[in-house]
Amino acid sequence: MTLRNTFLCLFVLSFAPCLSASGAAGGDSADIVIYGATPSGVMAAVQAARLGKSVVLVEPGRHAGGMAASGLGMTDIGRKAAIGGLAREYYQRAYAWYNSPDAWKHETRADYLPKHRDAFDHPMKTQFFMEPHVAEKLFNQFLNENRVPVVFGERLDRAGAGAAKDGARIVSIRMESGRVFAGKMFIDATYEGDLLAAAGAAFMLGREDNARFGETLNGIRYLPAEKVSPFVNPGAVGGDLLPFIDPAPPGPEGAGDHRVQAYNFRFCLTDVPENSVPVAKPENYNPALYELLAREFQYQPNHFPGKSLFKLSPMPNRKTDSNNHSRFSTDFVGNSHEWAGAGHARRAEIWREHRDYTLGFLWFLGHDPRVPQKVRAEVLRWGLPRDEFQDGGHWPWQLYIREARRLLGEYVITEHDCTGGVAADDPVGMGSYHMDSHQVSRYVDAGGRLHVEGGFFQSVDPFGISYRAPTPRAAECANLLVPVCVSATHVACGSVRMEPVFMILGQSAATAAALAIDAGVAVQSVDYKKLRARLLHDKQVLDYAMPAKFRAPTGDGDVGKAVGILVSKNIINAADKSYWLARTAGPALCDGEKVAALLIKAAGQKQSAKNVHAAVGVLLENNIIKRGDYWRAQAEENKFCNGRYVAELLVMLSRL
């Protein structure tokens, strides 16, 4: 063993739940080699170990847990009951962790419970919102208990022969250090799909033309013009543009292109003074990056953290999961397109650019005199938690790679899977979150007006994810499974790309890999009946019937009757009756501000509510509505609510 590898093993044993990979019989080799210690990779490794296979988990960074342990504490759940297997076990461990009084340092469990009713499912004994360091501890517990060897700090040699193959089979993968990991089966659990690309598997990148898969939400999507000027000189139509604004539209609406949705950091803040580190001004602070927001304050004087600007979603112990929350927010729009194909050095630069952008965004909001004083005062109340990310300046290590390469397999998950138009006959997990894409680009039209482009947010019913989606084509790679960068269009990826789904698919991929080893076959030839039986034995959820209380009303009669009742109770104005009937039919959208007014007025039947957050709390407390987080996020100015959800809401409110 080289001096470098000796140091690496000591580092790993000091900070991680691992044994040295060279501790496996035969050196750096295992039955199943997994690249990427994301939540998917962790669960794949744990499942492989539980099935009696030797396994090694190789991670290019220094931590296990990916986004789930790096700021994304507010889990994008979808339907809680659609989460099974190891993923459910993980959230049950979170529930047990926070059920102990010792877990609460800066507030009590009783204090926290009312802040986020969607954080818990008491009958299932699951908790879905947690602090970053707790998430990492839980992943490390899984790895330790199952004696999974983990090797940190080893990056795939993407510039050279990263994957050695014999025909269609990977024999081994090579790291930049020269270290080689040999295996019978391989799993790419990275967010970027680096191993699948090195192995020669076909993939998609960017957005598909709507016509390619008969979709409606894919490709370039134009949104209305903004009021703010995109030019350096705001008084002129023309001249130099502000950063990351394209001088022309990206192409015809609905056409495909190379662009991907914006990335950001899901950073963690706290308002506990003794646990708080002030946000420092980044060395590369560039106020031009926030000029659009500075100008928007003229039109949106009521911008305020939590309500808009950025989220302050409460995590335990008076911390937050802070995410993008409006058009000009923490998403670094336009700086994500290069990531997937960039080398490691360029990715490090993009990572720093995103970090500096976000820190600069917070600095701007806290110090720029053009920001209203009340906003500056609120931002400066918050700091970075001392007890999080202690080896990285209290800043998350994982950039939120919402979308990168996507495998192109025999089965491609599309919008039609998400909406129930087609159904896979070989599911290995369930998707249930909305189809969701953040902004993709900003551009100037022929009249000099600024537009944002690319976002959508549409509901789904729980749907099965085909085993063929994480499986490459047989001629391309016979012993590789891809549970994160699955075979899905840009639209369907918007639903599948959630950490619970990645955990589910990681477990299923490892199960299939183990069965393939036992049968001596390619992953494409695994007997699905045996795979399904084993997954069900291990408590995966492969079928899901929507409970009646969650189903959107069927037929105009239900909604029409509800609207009539709400008009009679003066919750809806008679003049607006036609609006609600029209906007709750089919896939239409409802104005978020109108929905907020509806919720506030409805809550007033029980208790006066000054704003939509208070109204949602009143209605939840009285068991009148569901989807509390959704209404808090979408029922506001300049946002839209799904018409099907609003139809459901109208029927529920009519029972007041």
Side-chain angles (χ1 to χ4, degrees), residues 222-226 230-231 236-239 241 245-251 442-451:
Y222 292 130
L223 299 173
E226 302 292 333
F231 299 101
V237 178
L241 290 166
I245 298 176
D246 297 327
R442 295 173 180 153
Y443 70 93
V444 176
D445 66 18
R449 296 174 300 177
L450 173 69
H451 293 255

Side-chain angles (χ1 to χ4, degrees), residues 267 269 279-282 285-287 289-291 293-294 297 305 308-311 322-331 353-368 371 375 379 395 442:
F267 55 95
L269 299 175
V279 173
K281 183 179 182 179
Y285 179 69
N286 179 6
L289 292 172
Y290 319 108
E291 183 64 27
L293 179 55
F297 274 114
S308 55
L309 297 175
F310 62 94
K311 291 184 178 179
S322 289
N323 192 13
N324 190 81
H325 198 28
S326 62
R327 293 181 301 277
F328 310 125
S329 183
T330 65
D331 281 355
E353 290 165 4
H354 277 77
R355 178 199 60 192
D356 290 349
Y357 169 83
T358 314
L359 289 170
F361 172 82
L362 293 171
W363 179 266
F364 165 80
L365 288 175
H367 297 87
D368 196 292
V371 176
V375 173
V379 171
W395 191 254
R442 295 173 180 153

Side-chain angles (χ1 to χ4, degrees), residues 113 117 175 193 218 434 511 519 617 643:
L113 282 172
R117 295 177 184 276
M175 303 296 112
N218 216 329
H434 321 281
T511 306

Side-chain angles (χ1 to χ4, degrees), residues 284-307:
N284 298 318
Y285 179 69
N286 179 6
L289 292 172
Y290 319 108
E291 183 64 27
L292 292 174
L293 179 55
R295 295 174 185 180
E296 193 185 44
F297 274 114
Q298 301 173 41
Y299 304 102
Q300 301 290 348
N302 293 323
H303 267 326
F304 198 73
K307 176 184 177 184

Side-chain angles (χ1 to χ4, degrees), residues 79 546 548-553 559 584 626-627 631 643-653 655:
R79 301 294 179 189
M546 288 281 284
K549 66 178 180 178
F550 288 122
R551 292 184 193 134
V559 180
T584 53
K626 305 294 181 184
R627 309 183 192 276
W631 301 122
R644 292 176 61 198
Y645 285 7
V646 177
E648 175 188 73
L649 175 67
L650 292 170
V651 172
M652 290 179 173
L653 294 180
R655 299 168 184 155

Side-chain angles (χ1 to χ4, degrees), residues 418-453:
C418 301
T419 58
V422 298
D425 58 6
D426 56 351
V428 289
M430 304 292 297
S432 63
Y433 195 77
H434 321 281
M435 293 177 283
D436 176 19
S437 174
H438 286 235
Q439 293 179 40
V440 176
S441 68
R442 295 173 180 153
Y443 70 93
V444 176
D445 66 18
R449 296 174 300 177
L450 173 69
H451 293 255
V452 297
E453 178 272 321

Side-chain angles (χ1 to χ4, degrees), residues 2-20:
T2 66
L3 179 62
R4 181 186 185 281
N5 284 345
T6 301
F7 173 80
L8 177 61
C9 290
L10 290 172
F11 175 86
V12 164
L13 288 168
S14 298
F15 292 98
C18 66
L19 307 172
S20 167

